[in-house]
Amino acid sequence: VSDASGCSMIALLHTGAAKFPPNLLSRSRQAVSLLFPAGVLEGFRSIVSRKLASHGFGASMAAMSSFPPQRYHYFLVLDFEATCDKPQIHPQEIIEFPILKLNGRTMEIESTFHMYVQPVVHPQLTPFCTELTGIIQGMVDGQPSLQQVLERVDEWMAKEGLLDPSVKSIFVTCGDWDLKVMLPGQCQYLGLPVADYFKQWINLKKAYSFAMGSWPKNGLLDMNKGLNLQHIGRPHSGIGE
């Protein structure tokens, strides 16, 4: 997620004027206004240009000049991995908890939170889970419980200044599953509270479909393809993707 999705919506801006029909370009400007903070168009054009160039885009950023600023200083890119099998096991439990703190003005990663989590209900990972995620049994054995990991997330959020009311940040996920289904469902099962900062997020699939006019059925892979971006990282690996 760290580089490819960090560039995806910028690439959307960059290619919009040339590739989008007028109605979709207008909608894309509205969608991107949700993702970029005040002043985003100032001071990082060269950085973004280099990122886009590395993914096959030209250096011109002229198409960005007309897009409105928006309110977030930081994007917290999150992608859980959880216990799984075919047929699906219940309840699923989070086994990888990664967060990338992305500066909304520079599009650079400023900090990373990453921990593996010990599953409790189904402590033994299935072969399907290991093949899908690349997470082996030794990675989760003896790791902190979800409760302990959530406590460390809160400590990390405080250390990074993300709990300061004047700092506006929001989680970004590829779909609603992570924060609408997985985390609250497991917290309810374990009797744990869900912090308020986990209750709002940007679903990149929705932003993409609003801007592009089509739903990315295969998630990040479809979004990268639609934006002519090369996928970076291992699919279904939280920190790797």
Side-chain angles (χ1 to χ4, degrees):
V1 174
S2 58
D3 192 29
S5 66
C7 291
S8 291
M9 295 309 291
I10 304 172
L12 180 76
L13 293 175
H14 174 73
T15 58
K19 295 177 67 176
F20 292 175
N23 63 320
L24 287 185
L25 181 56
S26 174
R27 292 164 63 189
S28 73
R29 287 170 174 165
Q30 297 175 52
V32 174
S33 72
L34 298 174
L35 292 174
F36 290 89
V40 70
L41 300 180
E42 300 296 329
F44 75 104
R45 288 172 179 258
S46 62
I47 295 172
V48 174
S49 294
R50 290 196 301 271
K51 286 183 176 292
L52 290 174
S54 71
H55 289 279
F57 289 91
S60 172
M61 298 300 291
M64 292 184 67
S65 61
S66 62
F67 284 87
Q70 60 82 59
R71 59 187 178 276
Y72 297 111
H73 301 109
Y74 296 101
F75 303 118
L76 307 177
V77 184
L78 178 147
D79 181 25
F80 294 142
E81 300 304 330
T83 53
C84 54
D85 202 2
K86 283 190 175 183
Q88 188 60 272
I89 58 176
H90 297 285
Q92 285 188 275
E93 299 171 87
I94 295 169
I95 55 175
E96 186 180 8
F97 205 124
I99 306 171
L100 300 181
K101 179 189 176 188
L102 193 72
N103 186 306
R105 292 182 174 84
T106 66
M107 290 294 112
E108 295 295 321
I109 298 169
E110 290 192 352
S111 181
T112 301
F113 177 92
H114 182 260
M115 292 188 73
Y116 291 106
V117 189
Q118 171 74 62
V120 177
V121 181
H122 301 286
Q124 192 71 29
L125 301 183
T126 65
F128 174 85
C129 182
T130 293
E131 182 178 356
L132 181 69
T133 67
I135 299 173
I136 63 175
Q137 191 66 41
M139 292 179 176
V140 298
D141 283 345
Q143 294 302 308
S145 66
L146 180 63
Q147 180 176 0
Q148 293 170 320
V149 171
L150 289 173
E151 290 170 355
R152 296 188 191 182
V153 169
D154 201 68
E155 293 170 359
W156 178 78
M157 295 277 288
K159 179 175 69 73
E160 294 296 323
L162 297 168
L163 302 184
D164 184 336
S166 67
V167 175
K168 298 189 181 300
S169 63
I170 192 164
F171 282 91
V172 179
T173 60
C174 186
D176 288 328
W177 175 84
D178 301 84
L179 294 177
K180 186 176 183 178
V181 177
M182 188 61 238
L183 182 63
Q186 189 175 358
C187 284
Q188 181 179 31
Y189 180 84
L190 297 173
L192 301 175
V194 178
D196 286 343
Y197 47 72
F198 285 127
K199 296 179 180 178
Q200 297 183 73
W201 63 92
I202 292 171
N203 179 348
L204 277 180
K205 291 181 181 179
K206 291 182 179 178
Y208 177 93
S209 64
F210 184 81
M212 299 291 280
S214 63
W215 184 260
K217 294 180 180 179
N218 293 315
L220 188 59
L221 296 178
D222 278 357
M223 290 189 283
N224 284 336
K225 184 177 179 180
L227 295 169
N228 295 320
L229 295 175
Q230 180 183 357
H231 182 78
I232 296 175
R234 184 191 192 282
H236 303 294
S237 170
I239 197 67
E241 188 173 20

